[in-house]
Amino acid sequence: MLKIIQFVRIFTCSVILALTVITANAQEDSAINLPNFLFPGFTKSVIKLKSGQLSSAVLNYNVVDQEMVFRQNEGYMVLSNPQLVDTVYIANRIFIPFKIGFYELVMAGPATLFIQHKSDLESVGTPTGYGATSQTTNAIPQRQIYGPAGSVDLRIPDGFKIVDKTEYWVRKSNQMDKFSTKRQFLKIFKDKEKELTQFIDHNDIRFKNINDIVKLFNYCNELYN
């Protein structure tokens, strides 16, 4: 089990990054294939600060707390000042800090596509008879989701399951809008609604499929070039 031993501050390239240190007594493979993390394991990555300085770290992305989690020596650290970061590069993928969490930059152009990877914890509930189950979403404050203060585990607690709440965002004319359906998407691109509707219908675009969304944005950006 992974326990918090102390809190420290790390200075990187003359910029203070406040980090929470979680010392791990378990083996490294205890943090592999955890459902509350985006990647199967912690990966050597690059952090670019807004100052232009670069640093490397072994990290993963917590989709429940929407935080970058670092592994260093025998400990884990959570980046708590993401406003100092310009870009994070993990496994050939690009992440940009926003007000809440980091969004993955999928495609840049007149219509720039981002994915906000996020999940909620939902209680699996207790039987109530006749096969029904009582469920509670977000039953525990997120910051205490792994246990009481001073005792933190990277795994999700027993009795909870991960519920995917991932959202797509588009930046167009310096404005950010989110969408998850055809109707919401076309509302953002009213000036190209006819062409995009025909493309979506002809190509059977599914808004739950990221490959279809990328195909749609490739066409969308062609319309604006």
Side-chain angles (χ1 to χ4, degrees):
M1 183 174 291
L2 305 166
K3 297 181 178 180
I4 296 180
I5 301 299
Q6 59 183 351
F7 292 92
V8 299
R9 287 184 180 273
I10 288 184
F11 294 80
T12 303
C13 304
S14 302
V15 180
I16 298 177
L17 298 178
L19 303 168
T20 303
V21 175
I22 308 169
T23 298
N25 293 323
Q27 298 297 319
E28 284 185 7
D29 60 6
S30 65
I32 290 178
N33 293 323
L34 295 177
N36 46 323
F37 282 84
L38 181 60
F39 297 96
F42 282 74
T43 304
K44 187 173 182 181
S45 309
V46 174
I47 303 170
K48 179 183 178 182
L49 302 178
K50 289 183 177 178
S51 65
Q53 298 293 327
L54 301 176
S55 62
S56 62
V58 178
L59 55 80
N60 204 337
Y61 189 66
N62 182 328
V63 295
V64 174
D65 289 334
Q66 297 186 69
E67 294 176 328
M68 288 291 174
V69 180
F70 295 75
R71 190 183 74 215
Q72 182 170 323
N73 299 323
E74 296 299 320
Y76 291 90
M77 299 175 286
V78 178
L79 179 64
S80 59
N81 279 343
Q83 68 273 13
L84 301 178
V85 176
D86 178 81
T87 311
V88 176
Y89 302 90
I90 313 175
N92 296 319
R93 292 162 69 173
I94 301 171
F95 294 82
I96 309 295
F98 280 82
K99 185 176 180 179
I100 299 177
F102 286 74
Y103 294 5
E104 181 178 0
L105 172 61
V106 179
M107 180 183 300
T112 297
L113 173 63
F114 296 92
I115 301 178
Q116 183 183 8
H117 298 283
K118 65 176 184 176
S119 296
D120 285 343
L121 288 189
E122 181 179 283
S123 171
V124 296
T126 55
T128 58
Y130 302 103
T133 301
S134 174
Q135 295 183 337
T136 303
T137 301
N138 289 334
I140 309 173
Q142 276 195 0
R143 293 303 299 170
Q144 298 179 14
I145 211 69
Y146 303 122
S151 179
V152 173
D153 195 315
L154 289 180
R155 298 167 299 180
I156 64 173
D158 293 337
F160 285 82
K161 64 180 179 180
I162 294 290
V163 180
D164 182 41
K165 297 292 183 179
T166 296
E167 294 180 329
Y168 299 116
W169 288 82
V170 55
R171 184 169 62 201
K172 177 175 174 283
S173 302
N174 293 320
Q175 179 176 326
M176 291 285 289
D177 293 287
K178 65 180 177 180
F179 68 95
S180 59
T181 66
K182 174 182 175 180
R183 182 182 62 82
Q184 292 170 344
F185 176 82
L186 293 175
K187 186 176 180 181
I188 298 171
F189 297 97
K190 290 181 179 179
D191 56 329
K192 302 292 183 181
E193 183 174 355
K194 180 179 178 180
E195 297 94 326
L196 290 170
T197 298
Q198 291 175 344
F199 183 87
I200 291 169
D201 293 341
H202 179 73
N203 291 276
D204 190 25
I205 297 297
R206 295 160 294 173
F207 280 78
K208 294 292 185 181
N209 186 309
I210 181 57
N211 292 326
D212 282 2
I213 296 298
V214 169
K215 183 189 298 184
L216 175 60
F217 267 75
N218 275 323
Y219 177 70
C220 186
N221 281 316
E222 288 177 6
L223 292 177
Y224 285 97
N225 283 327

